[in-house]
Amino acid sequence: MACRAEPELKPKFTVRSEQIDKLKEDESVLHVTISVPEVIPDAVLQVEGESFYVNRQRLALQSPYFRALFFGCGLESSKRRIEIKCVSVKHFRVLMDYSKTSKLVLDRENVLGILETADFLQLERARLLCCKFLERELHLSNCLGMMAYAWSLGCTQLYNAARHVALTHFSAIASEEDFLSLSKESLADLIACDDLAIHKDDAALEATLRWVSFDPKREEHFLELIQLVRPESLSLPFITQLSMTRARARETLFVLGGPHDTEQQPLYQFHPLSGRWQSCPPLQRKNLTQYSVAAVGDNVVVTGGYFRDVLWFSVDWVRMFDCGSQRWVEGPALQKSRHSHSSAGLDSVLYVLGGSTDEGLLGDVERLVLGSEEWEEVSPMVRAVERAASAAMDSCIYVACGLDENGEVYAGVQRYRVKEDQWDVVSYSPFPRYDLVATELNGALYLFGGQALRFDVETDEWTVQDEECLDRKFFCGCTTVSGQIYLLSERKSNKAFPNMVLMDPYIDTCLQVDDAIPCPVPLRGCVTMRMVT
């Protein structure tokens, strides 16, 4: 099934980090030309009557298909002129240009044909670039078609990204025409998933009934599918006897903030599916600021900070809010006092990264396994920074930009690979700043502050999110909940506002809501937590 491009998607442009100094506002796409030595053609490929003069060795290095074609045991390996069938000359021409220049010019009209041709020719890098392009084009209106299309080509990451959109927008996609064309297996996969973002399972039941009613032959699947609906989440009492209790995991948002010179700093919990705010026990700590907030397990964790007794000084304090008991408890002290640092949780491990001490900038990284009594030191950052943005994604932690030891803005995006305990710099931001906020959505990193940027790590592509309500704006907090990005408390000069911006790139939504946050400003941190309900 071919996916359809959404004509109303807002324009975006993509830049490669190697050319950030050449960024121009009036350009829609920039590409990198990688300098390669001149090579002598030693073979001719014919496609639909057109001849392409190529170098066997260069193509063989890029593709197992050409490696087998030129250096395998087939008849073609001894021929100088080879005809290739089953591909379009238009798309083949683009890929041959790409093989020489590393420039792949993609748009909505040609990307599917180029992807299918690259898949046939086993040009993996070109295939990846096409998949990342399609990930950026994902939308509520095409995610189901994209799921089927990606599955047919074995594009796992694209399939998972499209599936994530379907899971987080299930109530909306269930009314789409494409929904009725889903296979039984695809529908069952969505309904059975713990990450299905619906307020009540009435939506799952109604969607199942709609799908079954579309074709009389599907009635035989009804009992199998209805068993996947969670009866305890239904509002229909007679359904509760269908199966055993199986809870879904819900994502919820916690916000901590308020003036530092008060006795306590309030903590609030936001339930996105119902739109309800809930007050939680506050953090009892006066004159503490510039700390970091992260979520790990069922805990909201506050680490470090800048504290004033008579003078200001860095602290090694750790406070944890246990969502189960609704209590704040003391955690093991950091090995090194720090403030203006970053922190991130991965599984049941909390990491604190960089920041400043009373003596100066710090590149050290510590980690705490929940339940253990002390922090342990891991590999330090490539570049010591403070006031940087951080986010966890795919078993890695990313630290973006910040201020370096000279007080200058650092443009690099540093990546910590947890399993290898290694750091590297994966890219450089085209708009480097400090005091950014960052979050992860569907396998991509989003940065906000002055400009709104999407960063695809695998292809090193930066895409500007052209949204008026985000342009030239800075925020105190940012997190992703149920497939939507929440930007909290806009900052202007030295003043913060209790507003909220909801960004959903899959339905072209960027909505600002004034006075949306009950928590006092300035916000000190906001995090997302998965909770079983």
Side-chain angles (χ1 to χ4, degrees):
M1 178 188 299
C3 63
R4 65 174 187 272
E6 173 54 49
E8 296 182 358
L9 283 176
K10 297 184 179 179
K12 306 171 184 177
F13 65 84
T14 301
V15 299
R16 298 297 299 271
S17 64
E18 295 92 333
Q19 290 190 320
I20 58 176
D21 57 328
K22 298 180 181 179
L23 184 66
K24 299 179 181 178
E25 292 182 356
D26 60 342
E27 290 181 328
S28 61
V29 180
L30 295 179
H31 303 278
V32 176
T33 301
I34 299 177
S35 178
V36 294
E38 289 293 330
V39 293
I40 300 174
D42 57 4
V44 180
L45 299 178
Q46 280 193 315
V47 177
E48 295 181 354
E50 185 171 336
S51 297
F52 297 86
Y53 296 87
V54 300
N55 179 270
R56 295 168 179 254
Q57 187 67 35
R58 179 162 61 185
L59 283 181
L61 289 173
Q62 298 179 34
S63 160
Y65 174 90
F66 286 114
R67 189 155 57 247
L69 184 71
F70 294 136
F71 302 107
C73 300
L75 293 175
E76 291 85 355
S77 61
S78 60
K79 295 181 179 179
R80 185 176 181 275
R81 184 178 296 271
I82 304 171
E83 182 180 5
I84 296 181
K85 300 179 180 180
C86 302
V87 296
S88 162
V89 66
K90 177 174 66 174
H91 302 131
F92 188 83
R93 186 184 304 116
V94 173
L95 288 170
M96 288 301 99
D97 289 341
Y98 165 76
S99 72
K100 298 174 183 177
T101 65
S102 294
K103 291 194 302 182
L104 187 59
V105 181
L106 298 173
D107 56 44
R108 294 176 181 175
E109 300 300 322
N110 69 8
V111 63
L112 298 184
I114 291 176
L115 172 56
E116 291 165 14
T117 306
D119 183 70
F120 179 81
L121 299 175
Q122 297 180 319
L123 289 163
E124 291 303 319
R125 177 67 181 176
R127 186 175 183 268
L128 176 62
L129 289 169
C130 291
C131 287
K132 287 300 177 182
F133 181 94
L134 290 173
E135 282 186 32
R136 293 191 291 273
E137 294 295 318
L138 273 173
H139 191 269
L140 176 69
S141 63
N142 65 21
C143 64
L144 294 179
M146 199 78 81
M147 276 177 58
Y149 181 74
W151 182 266
S152 68
L153 287 180
C155 300
T156 305
Q157 291 183 341
L158 177 59
Y159 173 82
N160 289 335
R163 179 176 179 268
H164 183 269
V165 177
L167 287 170
T168 54
H169 299 77
F170 184 80
S171 296
I173 63 107
S175 62
E176 293 284 319
E177 184 178 348
D178 282 356
F179 179 80
L180 299 175
S181 300
L182 281 177
S183 67
K184 182 203 73 173
E185 292 74 19
S186 295
L187 177 59
D189 173 64
L190 294 175
I191 295 175
C193 183
D194 290 341
D195 295 326
L196 187 64
I198 50 178
H199 181 48
K200 290 288 186 181
D201 264 51
D202 296 27
L205 177 58
E206 291 170 359
T208 301
L209 291 171
R210 180 171 183 256
W211 183 87
V212 170
S213 301
F214 180 71
D215 185 348
K217 295 180 181 179
R218 295 176 176 177
E219 291 181 4
E220 62 186 78
H221 304 310
F222 177 73
L223 290 179
E224 178 183 348
L225 292 171
I226 205 67
Q227 292 292 324
L228 303 175
V229 177
R230 313 293 166 96
E232 69 284 356
S233 296
L234 287 167
S235 59
L236 305 175
F238 67 89
I239 299 294
T240 57
Q241 299 179 4
L242 280 177
S243 61
M244 297 175 61
T245 297
R246 292 158 293 159
R248 291 197 191 276
R250 311 287 189 191
E251 289 188 333
T252 185
L253 184 154
F254 285 87
V255 176
L256 179 65
H260 71 269
D261 56 357
T262 57
E263 293 295 334
Q264 58 188 28
Q265 297 187 15
L267 176 69
Y268 280 83
Q269 181 180 2
F270 178 61
H271 304 272
L273 295 177
S274 63
R276 180 172 60 90
W277 287 92
Q278 175 184 342
S279 177
C280 301
L283 173 66
Q284 301 285 349
R285 189 72 76 180
K286 186 178 181 180
N287 293 334
L288 180 65
T289 185
Q290 297 180 34
Y291 52 77
S292 184
V293 183
V296 57
D298 293 330
N299 299 273
V300 177
V301 186
V302 173
T303 55
Y306 215 37
F307 177 73
R308 185 183 67 190
D309 187 358
V310 177
L311 300 174
W312 287 98
F313 59 91
S314 302
V315 295
D316 59 4
W317 301 337
V318 176
R319 293 282 288 172
M320 297 183 174
F321 177 73
D322 187 319
C323 296
S325 64
Q326 291 285 296
R327 293 189 307 113
W328 286 93
V329 297
E330 294 283 350
L334 297 170
Q335 290 188 3
K336 293 185 179 179
S337 300
R338 63 183 79 202
H339 67 272
S340 304
H341 57 289
S342 302
S343 62
L346 267 177
D347 299 323
S348 60
V349 184
L350 176 66
Y351 296 83
V352 296
L353 315 107
S356 282
T357 66
D358 296 335
E359 291 74 34
L361 224 56
L362 186 69
D364 293 16
V365 179
E366 302 177 36
R367 74 170 199 164
L368 175 71
V369 179
L370 280 188
S372 62
E373 297 298 324
E374 61 182 21
W375 293 77
E376 59 179 326
E377 191 171 338
V378 295
S379 295
M381 301 166 65
V382 175
R383 189 75 166 267
V385 290
E386 65 173 354
R387 301 170 71 175
S390 64
M393 181 172 68
D394 297 335
S395 300
C396 295
I397 297 174
Y398 294 84
V399 179
C401 301
L403 291 174
D404 64 15
E405 64 274 8
N406 300 315
E408 297 178 351
V409 177
Y410 177 61
V413 178
Q414 303 181 66
R415 174 178 61 184
Y416 177 58
R417 290 179 289 174
V418 172
K419 294 180 181 178
E420 295 83 3
D421 187 27
Q422 292 180 348
W423 283 89
D424 60 355
V425 178
V426 294
S427 188
Y428 293 88
S429 170
F431 298 101
R433 298 179 185 271
Y434 62 94
D435 286 343
L436 298 174
V437 291
T439 189
E440 179 269 345
L441 174 61
N442 215 354
L445 188 66
Y446 286 78
L447 300 177
F448 300 92
Q451 285 280 358
L453 300 171
R454 169 186 167 132
F455 174 48
D456 289 290
V457 178
E458 283 189 285
T459 53
D460 191 19
E461 292 175 296
W462 292 86
T463 307
V464 173
Q465 306 298 293
D466 188 14
E467 299 287 354
E468 184 177 351
C469 62
L470 300 177
D471 188 38
R472 300 181 183 180
K473 292 185 179 180
F474 291 82
F475 298 89
C476 295
C478 170
T479 191
T480 299
V481 188
S482 299
Q484 298 175 318
I485 295 175
Y486 288 79
L487 294 136
L488 305 179
S489 186
E490 182 183 349
R491 292 186 290 110
K492 293 181 181 179
S493 299
N494 293 322
K495 189 175 181 180
F497 299 87
N499 61 342
M500 177 170 68
V501 174
L502 173 62
M503 176 184 171
D504 190 333
Y506 304 118
I507 56 174
D508 296 333
T509 293
C510 191
L511 177 66
Q512 178 170 313
V513 183
D514 293 328
D515 300 320
I517 307 170
C519 183
V521 294
L523 294 189
R524 306 295 177 179
C526 66
V527 295
T528 297
M529 189 176 299
R530 288 172 56 85
M531 305 181 72
V532 177
T533 58

